[in-house]
């Protein structure tokens, strides 16, 4: 969740998570509180290399995006780096945004056996 606290979301790093298990990213869904626009880049690196930087992007040309809409999804991640390992750090960076004040980005991961 990225929350602008009642104001339009600003650009920059908005948080990160540590992967609890390895697997394969299979898609993303993005939901906004109102119709608006946002582009979120997703960066990944190992725990030892924290924090991830823009050179660690995994989204290719398919960044999670709303374009004058409230929701969007992509389950055909042809340009993403989809492999994740336990302990990887996933960081969320807002490249651009307008109108939306709160969005939820869900990244679907199929856990490795």
């Amino acid at each position: 969740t990225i929350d602008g606290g009642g104001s339009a979301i600003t650009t920059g790093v908005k948080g990160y998570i540590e992967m609890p298990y390895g697997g394969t990213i299979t898609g993303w869904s993005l939901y906004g509180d109102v119709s608006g626009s946002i582009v979120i880049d997703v960066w990944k690196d190992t725990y030892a290399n924290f924090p991830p930087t823009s050179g660690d992007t995994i989204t290719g040309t398919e960044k999670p995006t709303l374009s004058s809409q409230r929701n969007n999804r992509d389950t055909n991640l042809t340009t993403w780096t989809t492999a994740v390992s336990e302990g990887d750090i996933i960081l969320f960076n807002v490249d651009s945004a307008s109108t939306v004040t709160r969005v939820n980005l869900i990244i679907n991961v199929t856990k490795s056996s």
Side-chain angles (χ1 to χ4, degrees):
T1 299
I2 300 172
D3 192 334
S7 299
I9 294 170
T10 58
T11 59
V13 173
K14 299 302 176 188
Y16 40 85
I17 60 168
E18 182 176 342
M19 284 301 301
Y21 53 80
T24 303
I25 298 171
T26 59
W28 57 261
S29 300
L30 184 59
Y31 302 94
D33 60 334
V34 295
S35 182
S37 300
I38 191 166
V39 177
I40 302 172
D41 200 0
V42 182
W43 307 343
K44 173 184 73 95
D45 210 334
T46 62
Y47 175 83
N49 289 329
F50 179 84
T53 65
S54 60
D56 298 314
T57 184
I58 62 172
T59 58
T61 58
E62 301 168 272
K63 295 178 182 180
T65 300
L66 296 178
S67 181
S68 298
Q69 61 196 125
R70 270 190 94 159
N71 60 307
N72 192 18
R73 76 170 30 132
D74 186 357
T75 58
N76 187 26
L77 305 178
T78 58
T79 65
W80 275 57
T81 301
T82 57
V84 291
S85 299
E86 181 178 347
D88 279 350
I89 306 299
I90 308 294
L91 182 143
F92 304 96
N93 184 76
V94 174
D95 288 351
S96 62
S98 64
T99 311
V100 292
T101 62
R102 182 180 171 96
V103 296
N104 288 340
L105 173 60
I106 293 92
I107 296 180
N108 302 313
V109 177
T110 300
K111 186 177 179 179
S112 298
S113 301

